[in-house]
Amino acid sequence: MTVRAAWLDEPIIIAGNWEPLIFRRRCGGGPADVAERYAREHTPALADRLKAAGVTLLITHWFKGFGLRAEAEDMAAARRLIGLCHERGIRVGGYVGDTFIFETMLLEEPEAGQWCQRKADGQPVTFGNSQTWRWKWCRNHPAFLPYMRRVLTLGVEAGLDMIHFDNFLNKPEPKNCRCPHCAARFRDFLERKYSPEQRRERLGFADLAKVAPPTFTDQLYVSWASDVIQDPLLQEWVDFRCESLARSYAELAALCRSLKPDMVIECNPTGIWGENAAYMRSVAHLRLLPHGDFFWDESPNAHGLLEEGALSTHLRSMKLGEAAGNRTFFYCWGGDAHSGALHMGEALAANNGCLGMVTFLDGDQIPAAAGCRDFIAFLHEHRALLCGTRSLARVAVYRNFTSLAYNAWEPHVQVLLAEQALLEGNIAFDLIGDLDRAARYDAIVVAGMECLDDAEVAALRALARGGKRVIVIGATGRYDAWRRSRPADPFEADPAILRLPALELPADAPGKPERRVWDDYYRVVDSRFWCRPANAEELLRHVGSPLHVTAPTAVLALPRLAADGSTLVVHFLDYQAARPCPAEVGLEFPGFEVGGPAEWLIPGQPTKRLETFDRLSLSTPYAMLVIRGTRLREAPAGAGGRTGLNDEAAG
């Protein structure tokens, strides 16, 4: 039985000290007084400072992978810290790593040499960089879950409120497990997924006895000079790895909750970064995340308004989290005051009361939290407006797994550009990965999702016939779910479907050959490509929002409905750092019967009461407009549920 933890409805403000002393020493390069600093991280004085700073959740060390005996002293220190935090009303999450350190683990568990991931050449898959002494667990090995039960049982007994599963992903090929357990599970996956007849159609044969995971002598994107995965067995290997990782997370979550029904579960699998996460990391977010409550987005992308004119935010990952019933953890302090305010403003606007991580501990000091003080206080003071809020989106963007998994360029470019057009056009939208959820929206945008199965095509056509505005863009539907070319456009003959041309990168955006390279050789659609499309109006004139916004470039307005159901909260973010005068913003409310008066709130400043609020001046990176007594309007008869869409779209 699972019980929702009551503290999930409270403000989430995070500090961290998740590296045990044994790991700090093994890594080297730290201060000479590392043990003394570590000791000060486990004192009443430190817990008092966390409480005074407004921190509500500490993520501390629990199990790094050295072994239960090797980490016994660190676990004892964690138990003391958990007690100190609980005395002050602070929740505690415990770090559980995805690697084990063979130098000590093999002394405790001699069989552990068989528990790690093994590449095709039989060598262990390691954490990377210089930490070759960290071997990645094979989550398909029969010993993995029983050992994790021992780790997690001790964590529950110690009083942990949350388990943080770090690096919940796999390494890019060719650094992926080819052990006998993975090979056997892959064959079983294919047998369960397909009948013998379907296997013959998929692979050309039905007998899987000799099938093995694809092997690589070189990297896919370099040697094959291709972003596209055509090989059907490789396509299935990608799907299997994603399914396998999601299954493992589900098993670990169920194990935790069998020990403590209200245990909160969180993992670190990446967010939306512009990479082919399915191929590179074995991550299908909307399969994985629903088993937990939070996830980390440690994006390597530059944030904010970039030189190329791109606008890079955490908002996509936050929307992804909301689609999965999660919220997003991220480092929220930024590089300077303006950047930090934007990071924290995004969290207030779209992360439902989770501000993110405000500091790492340094001895008994919490240095970064000082720059976050106003936002921390703001979240605590206005928790009723910021926790438990509801999306007001009437537009959904559909992200299809197979399209994004089998092509690392065009589908990613198209969906990112569609989202960017909506974001910068101040059109409220949600992300969906399941068309069963699409009926709650007025418009569904399907941009560049080239691999659709027959059921998805039928579902989209049914939505359009039912009065929804279904907008298909670019190559959507060109291929079936196995990436085989369709003989004809499945939407061409359907007058209920609105088909638009592919979205175009602006002239000053980088070119395809200029993509960043991550993990040594994988090209990604990094945040420099996250631009307003050159032909954005092709999409924007067909969609709308219950809130109409007129604003300068780089100003976003994000509406939410507060938990009371009658308070409209509009968050404003200005990404232009050196604006010569305040940004003038105009508002119309076609989707609401608005109340009033309104309040204008800025962290660290007094609240202002507004009698009128159709014109606003924004002079800070973040501000919040609050209008109480507001009601959503019902759609007028014959509008097909499109209240708030643009006139041209609704006509």
Side-chain angles (χ1 to χ4, degrees):
M1 183 179 83
T2 299
V3 176
R4 177 178 166 82
W7 62 273
L8 290 176
D9 299 319
E10 301 169 359
I12 307 295
I13 301 158
I14 309 163
N17 72 329
W18 51 71
E19 302 299 8
L21 180 59
I22 188 174
F23 180 74
R24 300 182 198 194
R25 284 171 161 162
R26 179 61 183 86
C27 281
D33 63 344
V34 60
E36 290 77 9
R37 290 181 185 227
Y38 178 79
R40 292 199 299 271
E41 291 174 15
H42 300 75
T43 61
L46 180 279
D48 288 339
R49 286 192 173 94
L50 290 174
K51 181 67 175 178
V55 169
T56 62
L57 173 64
L58 174 68
I59 302 178
T60 194
H61 52 90
W62 185 246
F63 184 71
K64 192 70 177 182
F66 286 86
L68 293 174
R69 290 201 302 272
E71 291 187 60
E73 290 185 11
D74 285 297
M75 286 182 162
R79 287 189 192 93
R80 292 192 297 272
L81 184 55
I82 292 167
L84 293 170
C85 287
H86 283 176
E87 289 170 4
R88 292 154 178 81
I90 299 170
R91 306 292 177 174
V92 183
Y95 175 108
V96 175
D98 75 318
T99 62
F100 62 85
I101 291 75
F102 75 87
E103 298 154 325
T104 51
M105 178 68 89
L106 292 179
L107 297 175
E108 298 184 20
E109 305 288 345
E111 299 299 316
Q114 305 303 314
W115 299 354
C116 68
Q117 295 187 23
R118 296 276 175 179
K119 293 182 287 187
D121 62 4
Q123 292 300 305
V125 178
T126 65
F127 178 78
N129 303 322
S130 63
Q131 295 182 21
T132 55
W133 35 274
R134 294 175 65 184
W135 291 359
K136 282 186 69 71
W137 285 97
C138 175
R139 299 181 181 92
N140 286 327
H141 194 285
F144 173 69
L145 203 59
Y147 192 89
M148 283 295 110
R149 175 179 286 277
R150 294 166 61 191
V151 171
L152 296 169
T153 298
L154 291 172
V156 169
E157 292 171 352
L160 288 172
D161 303 289
M162 184 186 82
I163 301 296
H164 160 59
F165 292 105
D166 197 28
N167 296 316
F168 216 86
L169 42 75
N170 286 321
K171 305 286 280 187
E173 298 290 4
K175 301 173 185 177
N176 220 266
C177 192
R178 299 297 194 280
C179 78
H181 303 287
C182 288
R185 287 205 176 193
F186 180 46
R187 288 189 291 271
D188 180 63
F189 169 80
L190 293 172
E191 287 185 357
R192 287 185 287 107
K193 188 174 180 180
Y194 297 121
S195 67
E197 293 76 16
Q198 290 171 322
R199 282 179 233 145
R200 277 192 287 272
E201 183 179 2
R202 182 68 163 132
L203 300 171
F205 53 87
D207 189 345
L208 302 174
K210 299 299 182 182
V211 165
T215 56
F216 295 78
T217 56
D218 237 326
Q219 296 78 28
L220 173 65
Y221 289 5
V222 173
S223 295
W224 299 1
S226 175
D227 293 298
V228 175
I229 298 175
Q230 298 278 29
D231 182 338
L233 193 69
L234 180 54
Q235 290 176 351
E236 294 298 336
W237 176 244
V238 173
D239 193 18
F240 162 72
R241 289 191 303 149
C242 292
E243 186 270 347
S244 181
L245 194 72
R247 173 192 49 76
S248 178
Y249 191 42
E251 290 173 345
L252 289 168
L255 172 56
C256 291
R257 290 164 178 155
S258 72
L259 300 169
K260 185 178 188 291
D262 66 345
M263 180 65 82
V264 172
I265 307 297
E266 171 260 300
C267 71
N268 183 1
T270 76
I272 296 178
W273 295 356
E275 66 178 10
N276 182 348
Y279 176 77
M280 287 181 66
R281 318 284 180 198
S282 309
V283 172
H285 290 97
L286 292 176
R287 295 185 198 177
L288 180 80
L289 298 182
H291 302 295
D293 302 287
F294 298 98
F295 76 105
W296 272 94
D297 174 20
E298 293 183 304
S299 177
N301 278 302
H303 180 271
L305 188 60
L306 309 185
E307 289 182 5
E308 297 84 357
L311 181 58
S312 174
T313 76
H314 291 286
L315 295 170
R316 276 187 187 82
S317 290
M318 292 173 185
K319 290 176 181 291
L320 175 68
E322 186 164 35
N326 278 224
R327 282 172 288 171
T328 307
F329 289 173
F330 69 110
Y331 306 113
C332 71
W333 47 81
D336 55 36
H338 183 265
S339 173
L342 289 171
H343 279 78
M344 291 180 282
E346 289 175 7
L348 295 178
N351 212 21
N352 245 329
C354 177
L355 191 61
M357 182 164 170
V358 299
T359 189
F360 284 108
L361 305 188
D362 182 8
D364 58 359
Q365 302 301 308
I366 47 175
C372 309
R373 185 180 297 116
D374 288 341
F375 281 84
I376 294 172
F378 189 85
L379 174 54
H380 280 292
E381 181 180 357
H382 301 292
R383 58 190 295 172
L385 300 172
L386 298 167
C387 298
T389 67
R390 189 179 115 204
S391 170
L392 291 168
R394 293 180 177 172
V395 178
V397 175
Y398 180 48
R399 282 179 161 261
N400 160 268
F401 169 79
T402 50
S403 301
L404 296 167
Y406 300 162
N407 185 344
W409 172 246
E410 189 64 19
H412 291 264
V413 169
Q414 288 299 304
V415 73
L416 287 165
L417 287 178
E419 292 160 357
Q420 203 70 22
L422 297 171
L423 193 66
E424 296 192 42
N426 284 307
I427 303 297
F429 70 96
D430 290 341
L431 300 183
I432 59 172
D434 182 349
L435 288 175
D436 289 343
R437 298 182 61 229
R440 71 186 69 177
Y441 300 95
D442 299 336
I444 299 92
V445 177
V446 191
M449 297 297 99
E450 55 187 24
C451 298
L452 299 179
D453 64 27
D454 292 341
E456 289 171 302
V457 170
L460 289 168
R461 296 180 68 177
L463 287 163
R465 289 194 301 271
K468 303 297 182 182
R469 184 170 296 277
V470 176
I471 304 169
V472 297
I473 298 173
T476 293
R478 177 183 294 171
Y479 305 103
D480 66 11
W482 294 348
R483 212 175 187 279
R484 299 179 301 184
S485 299
R486 293 184 183 275
D489 183 340
F491 303 110
E492 186 175 27
D494 193 333
I497 298 283
L498 178 61
R499 179 172 272 292
L500 299 179
L503 296 170
E504 301 169 4
L505 285 163
D508 54 355
K512 182 178 177 181
E514 298 174 69
R515 287 177 290 172
R516 300 253 193 253
V517 175
W518 292 350
D519 292 270
D520 300 325
Y521 33 73
Y522 286 104
R523 297 187 293 272
V524 301
V525 187
D526 60 89
S527 61
R528 297 171 302 140
F529 291 85
W530 301 3
C531 306
R532 183 185 175 104
N535 56 341
E537 292 304 318
E538 289 278 355
L539 171 59
L540 293 177
R541 64 194 180 93
H542 294 292
V543 295
S545 178
L547 176 70
H548 286 180
V549 181
T550 304
T553 300
V555 172
L556 304 186
L558 305 167
R560 302 285 295 186
L561 190 66
D564 66 5
S566 62
T567 300
L568 173 63
V569 181
V570 186
H571 303 267
F572 296 91
L573 293 160
D574 186 357
Y575 290 83
Q576 183 66 58
R579 199 177 291 279
C581 57
E584 299 298 323
V585 180
L587 300 179
E588 298 176 45
F589 302 87
F592 302 99
E593 293 178 9
V594 295
E599 295 171 321
W600 185 243
L601 296 93
I602 298 171
Q605 297 187 19
T607 298
K608 293 183 180 178
R609 184 180 175 91
L610 303 178
E611 297 298 331
T612 60
F613 37 83
D614 58 338
R615 300 292 302 176
L616 300 168
S617 291
L618 180 63
S619 58
T620 55
Y622 170 81
M624 183 171 82
L625 177 68
V626 177
I627 311 173
R628 303 183 193 277
T630 298
R631 191 171 72 85
L632 282 168
R633 282 201 177 115
E634 298 293 332
R642 295 192 181 116
T643 301
L645 288 181
N646 291 341
D647 291 341
E648 182 176 346

